[in-house]
Amino acid sequence: MPSSVASPILETERLILRLPQIGDFDRYAELLADEDAARHIGGRQPRAAAWRKFLQQPGAWVLQGFGMFSVVDRADGRWLGQLGPWRPEGWPDNEIGYAFHPDAWGRGYATEAAVAAIDWTFATLHWDRIIHCIDPANAASQQVARRLGSTRLRSARLPAPFDDHVVDVWGQTRVQWREHRRRFA
């Protein structure tokens, strides 16, 4: 891992955000096996394909010094989803991405985790802005982006193999986040 970034652990009232661990995989595979949950993040995947995709985030942490955090319930240690900074080759910009297991939906976990991850990202990675790439049909993710203060900026195509699909790019600058962050104090 690049020496400038340690292995961070972020804590909120209900959540722990930490680097992915092998024990997270079973619930991650469940997420990608669920047709509704995987619809907007590349589609349903069998367990073997989910394993290869799961390895992306630990790899991103090692090679880039950042990646999506595993989001874990503080009360019972259950893996709820992944969320955090994400910048694959050819991506439209620096993203705070998120995907949650269906049994974690509708409880405010994405917003709570995103506040901590955005704070960490701006403070540690010194990005000037963040985006969220959201499928135009994904109303739930749009609502999370709105709660965070992001607005729809434009449409974009992701790099191959997803280049046949247009996403809405939502986002905000570091300065805008400082203003929006006050709502969560």
Side-chain angles (χ1 to χ4, degrees), residues 158-174:
L158 299 178
F162 305 109
D163 53 339
D164 63 340
H165 190 72
V166 175
V167 296
D168 288 336
V169 177
W170 292 65
Q172 61 186 297
T173 66
R174 171 194 297 269

Side-chain angles (χ1 to χ4, degrees), residues 4 26 30 46 49 65 91 96 98-99 105 121 130-131 136 144 148 180:
S4 62
D26 284 337
E30 290 174 10
W91 220 243
I96 297 292
Y98 40 89
W105 292 356
T121 297
I130 56 162
I131 65 163
V144 171
L148 294 169
H180 298 143

Side-chain angles (χ1 to χ4, degrees), residues 131-151:
I131 65 163
H132 320 285
C133 294
I134 302 175
D135 185 297
N138 191 342
S141 284
Q142 292 169 16
Q143 189 59 28
V144 171
R146 277 189 199 95
R147 276 194 293 275
L148 294 169
S150 292
T151 58

Side-chain angles (χ1 to χ4, degrees), residues 67-184:
M68 288 193 207
F69 294 93
S70 280
V71 179
V72 178
D73 187 313
R74 283 179 73 146
D76 62 13
R78 185 172 43 108
W79 185 90
L80 301 172
Q82 65 179 17
L83 181 144
W86 177 235
R87 189 178 57 205
E89 177 66 27
W91 220 243
D93 210 333
N94 297 320
E95 180 168 18
I96 297 292
Y98 40 89
F100 281 79
H101 193 284
D103 68 14
W105 292 356
R107 298 188 175 151
Y109 294 138
T111 302
E112 184 177 333
V115 169
I118 292 169
D119 285 348
W120 181 87
T121 297
F122 281 136
T124 306
L125 302 179
H126 309 291
W127 291 355
D128 292 325
R129 65 191 170 279
I130 56 162
I131 65 163
H132 320 285
C133 294
I134 302 175
D135 185 297
N138 191 342
S141 284
Q142 292 169 16
Q143 189 59 28
V144 171
R146 277 189 199 95
R147 276 194 293 275
L148 294 169
S150 292
T151 58
R152 187 185 177 284
L153 305 173
R154 65 186 183 279
S155 295
R157 290 193 182 276
L158 299 178
F162 305 109
D163 53 339
D164 63 340
H165 190 72
V166 175
V167 296
D168 288 336
V169 177
W170 292 65
Q172 61 186 297
T173 66
R174 171 194 297 269
V175 172
Q176 291 169 322
W177 176 246
R178 278 190 212 126
E179 182 64 30
H180 298 143
R181 178 63 173 89
R182 294 179 196 182
R183 288 185 277 181
F184 303 105

